[in-house]
Amino acid sequence: MNEGPLASCPLTAALEIIGGKWQLIVLYALTQQPRRFNELQRLAPGVSHKVLTQTVRQLEARGLIEREVGSSAAPSVLYSLSEAGETVRPILAAMTAWGNELLAANLAAHQ
């Protein structure tokens, strides 16, 4: 983390880990169920393969998601929330509820 007046700010610490656009999308998708890479890519239209790869690697390095490589003949990788990742679930639920309220208000304003 950076040094300076915001170095001890809890919001800065949290945003440094989950503040990216795609981190939240990936984490939200994984709160619903474990997913393969291609599923995550379909759920995040507009993200490039490279950026999604970087995102899941960052989240795995931070300990928020786990990567399980299947043992079948055709290699498959399944991503899921780790125990630490589960602690993000209430944050995502609150953000989802807030987002739903914003969408509903926007829809009502345009009717």
Side-chain angles (χ1 to χ4, degrees):
M1 193 161 13
N2 297 331
E3 304 231 358
L6 294 178
S8 61
C9 175
L11 289 177
T12 301
L15 289 174
E16 192 159 313
I17 295 173
I18 64 167
K21 176 180 181 179
W22 302 113
Q23 282 86 346
L24 291 172
I25 302 296
V26 168
L27 290 168
Y28 177 71
L30 295 178
T31 62
Q32 298 165 349
Q33 65 185 46
R35 302 206 186 254
R36 291 192 166 93
F37 184 88
N38 287 340
E39 290 178 279
L40 292 172
Q41 196 159 30
R42 278 193 297 276
L43 292 169
V47 67
S48 69
H49 188 276
K50 177 184 174 184
V51 170
L52 185 57
T53 299
Q54 290 171 340
T55 300
V56 294
R57 284 182 182 164
Q58 288 169 354
L59 290 170
E60 185 181 10
R62 298 280 186 159
L64 295 178
I65 66 173
E66 294 175 343
R67 180 179 186 268
E68 181 184 333
V69 179
S71 59
S72 64
S76 65
V77 176
L78 194 64
Y79 293 96
S80 60
L81 289 180
S82 66
E83 189 174 327
E86 288 290 339
T87 65
V88 180
R89 192 180 289 271
I91 298 164
L92 294 170
M95 290 179 76
T96 300
W98 183 54
N100 284 332
E101 289 174 15
L102 292 173
L103 290 172
N106 188 36
L107 181 63
H110 288 95
Q111 287 185 351

